[in-house]
Amino acid sequence: AVETGKATNMRAALQAYYTPSALARRVVELSGVKSGDRVLEPSVGEGALAAAILDAVKSDVTIIAYETDAVAVAKCATRIYGQLHGRFGNVDLVCRDFLDVEPDPTYDVVVMNPPFTGDADVRHVTHAWQFVRPGGTLVAIMWPAWHRSPSTAAQRAFADLVRSVGGEAEDVPAGTF
């Protein structure tokens, strides 16, 4: 910023549009997460979805969460580990790009709010689908283009995938982000 005279908006650069609490609660409700579940959160940000899971389940749940931004991971750790005080729950926060993680189809539930730009949401959710165990659930917050008017090959392929597994789309209330 000093050299160019322009400040960098780090939230925009990282595509860090964190999930509002009301939407996090709705995602968790749709996921059907319950005690004993193994949950994947591929882009945890500051922890809104993980916090909503812990609020909803109120008992033993395992959450594995990935995030590329170390600052967000630190904020998430403060939020989540504070919330766990005196409760059952296992939350593992990993500072790593989820797209580099080898698929492991052992998760009961995947909840996510991935980056959107340039079909990044489609790439992230398609990758995350490979982590869902048979009979498991994936709920993702995505840019609506893939189901309203898919214009890229990736969006069309994703729409086909969602149809093939009986998935559904629900619009996020206007002004949420």
Side-chain angles (χ1 to χ4, degrees):
V2 172
E3 290 177 15
T4 65
K6 295 180 182 178
T8 300
N9 181 335
M10 289 309 294
R11 287 188 89 174
L14 294 169
Q15 297 184 55
Y17 298 99
Y18 299 130
T19 311
S21 296
L23 182 56
R25 288 190 299 274
R26 178 66 179 144
V27 167
V28 170
E29 175 188 330
L30 289 169
S31 78
V33 66
K34 61 190 178 309
S35 179
D37 278 350
R38 187 163 188 250
V39 181
L40 173 65
E41 216 291 64
S43 35
V44 73
E46 294 181 356
L49 292 171
I53 289 167
L54 295 172
D55 281 345
V57 176
K58 302 199 186 306
S59 61
D60 194 34
V61 64
T62 298
I63 302 171
I64 311 300
Y66 292 90
E67 176 58 53
T68 59
D69 179 12
V71 173
V73 170
K75 288 180 180 179
C76 180
T78 299
R79 177 181 195 172
I80 297 304
Y81 296 131
Q83 189 170 344
L84 279 173
H85 184 70
R87 295 179 44 203
F88 293 101
N90 179 24
V91 180
D92 187 9
L93 298 174
V94 182
C95 191
R96 181 176 178 192
D97 187 339
F98 169 69
L99 293 176
D100 294 335
V101 177
E102 187 70 29
D104 174 22
T106 60
Y107 291 89
D108 301 294
V109 174
V110 176
V111 293
M112 59 194 302
N113 177 6
F116 294 178
T117 304
D119 286 340
D121 54 345
V122 170
R123 284 190 306 280
H124 279 253
V125 177
T126 300
H127 186 62
W129 181 248
Q130 299 175 77
F131 290 75
V132 180
R133 70 161 179 74
T137 304
L138 185 149
V139 180
I141 300 166
M142 299 180 69
W143 189 252
W146 73 268
H147 76 94
R148 286 189 186 157
S149 55
S151 60
T152 67
Q155 290 172 3
R156 289 188 291 277
F158 185 75
D160 289 344
L161 170 65
V162 171
R163 276 191 293 280
S164 75
V165 299
E168 300 174 18
E170 177 180 303
D171 286 337
V172 170
T176 299
F177 290 95

